[in-house]
Amino acid sequence: MPKTRYPILAADRVRWVGDCVVFVVAETAAQAHDAAELVDVDYEPLPAVTSTAEATQPGAPLVWDNAPNNVGFGELIGDKAAVDAAFAKAHHITKHRFVINRVTAVCMEPRGAIGLYNPTDGRYTIYNGTQQPHNFRAALATNVLKVPESSVHVITGDVGGAFGMKTPVTNEVPLVLLASKRLAGRPVKWLATRTESFLSDLQARDNVIKAELALDKDGHFLALRVKSVAAIGAYLQVSMPAFVFNCGTLAGTYRTPAIYVDVSAVYTYTNPVRPYRGNGRPESAYVIERMVNLAAAELGIDPVELRRRNYIAPSQMPFKTGLTFTYDSGEFEKNMDLALKLADVKGFETRRKDARKRGKLLGLGLSNTIERAAAPSIEAGEIRFDRSGTATIFSGAASQGQGHETVFKQLVCDRLGLHPDDVRYVHGDTDKVVHGEGTNGSRSSAMAGSALFLASNRIIEKATKIAAHNLKVSPEDVTFREGVFSSTKTNQTLTIKEVARDAFVMARLPKDMEPGLFSTSVHRADLANFPNGCHICEIEIDIETGAAAVTRYSVIDDVGTVLNPLLLKGQIHGGVAQGVGQILMENIHFDDSGQLVTASFMDYAMPHAHDLCYINVDANPVPTKTNPLGVKGAGEAGCVGAMPATANALVNALAEFGVTHVEMPATPERLWKLIHKSA
């Protein structure tokens, strides 16, 4: 793997159109814009390659001189010999080449930063919309500023969308800190415009994948072989390319015995690529679920029936897949049966005939997908009672719209019998929160929720001893229920708020007990959990214009224990919108010279409310044993299931025209051409 650097400001060579060259500081934003207009950069045009598929072709311009053929690294995963042997005896082999296009996060809140340097103690404070405040501090202090972590204070609020793009330290962060230091401690602020975001945000997806599925004469999966060329962009980012880390999702919900994956990560003269909602999972789910439908069409088997023949049964759990993952729980066939009923699939043909009378083609698509969530790691949670008996909870998770302040307060209040008004929630401040791995990979509920659950248990344990001391009974004789400590040996009770107040009075504490009612807990997960579900999508395509519209959407999800049904549905809805958006309209496009053509909402199509229908979500919870709450990740589940379900619906709608696959994005022009080429 060649070593490449990511400069904060390019000095001799820019590697994509949004590469940072100059940082202008002024009293006002208007002055800064005027000054930037006066900067004249002398560029010498160089040949560029922007296509992931063409990056390794002979003669392609090199992004880095020390990366031959523009290959950043390769990864081989799985048992090649077993796969080759299975293909040699296969009755049928389905092959297809998929192009998963490039998209960008388009967060509601663009990237921004406020830097403040304190000359008195030499300490840096950065206000930034990051997903991982503590990891962000470590990277900024160690890799960029070259100072101890204690010299850096990171503060983040309730971020307006992130999706993976706001995890790393980006160029503006050290620049505002350096500027503040140069200006003797004056705060310096930078905020991206929407066009700057398109030009300089870290982008996502962008894979070219060749897949082969081997089946026996009865339609049972024997092996899967996948070769992927995955985009890096101009500069390699941490945890990239995403396809490597979550390609285990290629196994899907099926018993495929052997899987082999060959990934090449390639540089191009484009924005660097980052994990984006799903982080390799939607791409992998898209490949396997499209391959199942393609195989079903070639063999003349109903796609639902082909899935039934290959599902992993609950009795087979834990199940080691043919690639990377070991599933701990799940009822995959039941998910599908519930989804078929929820979506009223029996009435689909009637709806299809009605649509045709209106000049529309109606298609139905199904995906039964699974993903890894809450990968092995740690997370901290803390509960502190004060002298008034109210509590503050501190979480290492950072919210970008998931409703952490609601669900974590709900969890602690339910456990300790407190009213939400008596609980304050704190996150996103490295000086206040003891530790945190942050929010990514569908980990918040499983990790941060479990940490707070364990901290609640420790609070109850200590409070029980204090209550027993003041009730003049042994701790074994004390019962705690709905915030009240009681004992059958006395007619007295104490609320947890009263016990918390007692915890600060030495005379009311057991001998040798430290005063105060505080608890810090770090939850360690040694195993990931695997949320799964079934999505069914119906799409209408206008024959005359090619315009597509989602008319029905149904989801059965297994995210284990459901902590808050409303927040869960919100996460599923948001993920579905992003998955549908990529299939139907979203697309980052560069011209051959490297210019970004889709640098505004005039050219980059985002799904609006009218592009989606009511999304019917129901749950089939199978609690996991990998954490004390039994929860599985939910934040990325909607996106993972939506891409293949939407794509399968499009193909089903166009099947009468001989269409077997539709490349993304399925714009009206592309769909119109497919219809009328056949006609």
Side-chain angles (χ1 to χ4, degrees), residues 123 134 137 153-155 382 384 392-395 424 426-435:
R123 198 158 191 252
H134 289 81
R137 179 184 65 174
H153 181 197
V154 176
I155 302 172
E382 184 177 5
R384 296 184 207 164
T392 303
I393 59 176
F394 301 82
S395 172
R424 176 171 169 257
V426 174
H427 74 104
D429 189 321
T430 56
D431 276 8
K432 296 178 180 178
V433 178
V434 61
H435 177 74

Side-chain angles (χ1 to χ4, degrees), residues 87 92-96 211-215 224 290-296 298-299:
F87 269 85
H92 180 82
I93 298 174
T94 293
K95 300 181 180 181
H96 198 80
E212 299 175 88
L213 179 64
L215 303 93
L224 177 67
R290 284 293 299 123
M291 289 297 288
V292 173
N293 272 38
L294 286 164
E298 292 171 4
L299 293 170

Side-chain angles (χ1 to χ4, degrees), residues 137-477:
R137 179 184 65 174
L140 179 60
T142 305
N143 300 334
V144 184
L145 299 176
K146 311 295 184 185
V147 298
E149 281 190 52
S150 58
S151 296
V152 178
H153 181 197
V154 176
I155 302 172
T156 188
D158 195 357
V159 180
F163 313 116
M165 187 268 288
K166 293 180 181 176
T167 302
V169 177
T170 42
N171 307 60
E172 65 275 5
V173 171
L175 288 170
V176 294
L177 292 172
L178 175 62
S180 178
K181 186 175 183 179
R182 293 275 184 92
L183 296 171
R186 292 189 64 183
V188 177
K189 173 184 175 181
W190 180 87
L191 186 66
T193 65
R194 186 58 67 183
T195 296
E196 283 175 321
S197 294
F198 276 109
L199 287 170
S200 63
D201 277 358
L202 306 170
Q203 296 174 351
R205 312 286 193 233
D206 200 348
N207 304 301
V208 179
I209 299 171
K210 295 179 180 178
E212 299 175 88
L213 179 64
L215 303 93
D216 67 14
K217 61 182 177 62
D218 297 317
H220 297 125
F221 304 160
L222 300 176
L224 177 67
R225 185 158 52 204
V226 174
K227 184 175 179 60
S228 172
V229 179
I232 292 175
Y235 298 101
L236 181 64
Q237 297 288 302
V238 176
S239 299
M240 287 306 297
F243 195 83
V244 169
F245 297 97
N246 283 303
C247 67
T249 301
L250 283 165
T253 55
Y254 312 113
R255 300 186 306 272
T256 314
I259 306 174
Y260 181 69
V261 183
D262 179 341
V263 183
S264 295
V266 300
Y267 289 106
T268 55
Y269 286 96
T270 59
N271 298 47
V273 172
R274 276 293 301 161
Y276 169 63
R277 198 171 196 166
N279 187 23
R281 303 170 184 88
E283 300 95 301
S284 298
Y286 173 81
V287 170
I288 182 58
E289 289 300 289
R290 284 293 299 123
M291 289 297 288
V292 173
N293 272 38
L294 286 164
E298 292 171 4
L299 293 170
I301 302 174
D302 182 86
V304 170
E305 173 58 26
L306 187 58
R307 286 175 170 84
R308 286 196 196 281
R309 296 182 190 183
N310 290 282
Y311 277 139
I312 301 163
S315 61
Q316 295 175 292
M317 299 294 180
F319 186 86
K320 175 69 177 72
T321 72
L323 186 73
T324 308
F325 297 154
T326 298
Y327 304 151
D328 66 296
S329 61
E331 298 174 343
F332 309 138
E333 187 171 10
K334 182 180 178 181
N335 287 343
M336 184 177 69
D337 288 334
L338 291 171
L340 293 171
K341 184 177 180 180
L342 185 68
D344 184 25
V345 171
K346 289 183 178 179
F348 171 71
E349 287 303 328
T350 300
R351 295 192 294 275
R352 172 177 265 175
K353 291 175 183 177
D354 290 342
R356 193 56 186 264
K357 292 176 184 177
R358 294 181 282 108
K360 312 281 188 180
L361 302 170
L362 185 64
L364 183 143
L366 177 147
S367 73
N368 212 341
T369 50
I370 189 167
E371 55 164 321
R372 179 182 69 162
S377 59
I378 60 173
E379 190 56 87
E382 184 177 5
I383 303 173
R384 296 184 207 164
F385 278 87
D386 53 39
R387 293 174 185 268
S388 70
T390 59
T392 303
I393 59 176
F394 301 82
S395 172
S399 183
Q400 303 103 53
Q402 297 95 333
H404 291 172
E405 63 277 14
T406 299
V407 73
F408 291 151
K409 286 175 68 172
Q410 172 190 332
L411 191 157
V412 170
C413 288
D414 183 66
R415 192 81 184 102
L416 299 181
L418 294 169
H419 190 278
D421 291 345
D422 293 325
V423 179
R424 176 171 169 257
Y425 176 68
V426 174
H427 74 104
D429 189 321
T430 56
D431 276 8
K432 296 178 180 178
V433 178
V434 61
H435 177 74
E437 293 291 309
T439 300
N440 61 283
S442 301
R443 69 188 303 276
S444 295
S445 291
M447 299 300 298
S450 293
L452 290 170
F453 176 82
L454 295 174
S456 298
N457 290 346
R458 292 181 178 179
I459 289 286
I460 294 170
E461 183 180 354
K462 182 175 182 179
T464 299
K465 294 177 182 178
I466 298 172
H469 176 76
N470 292 303
L471 293 173
K472 297 180 173 52
V473 296
S474 67
E476 292 76 19
D477 294 325

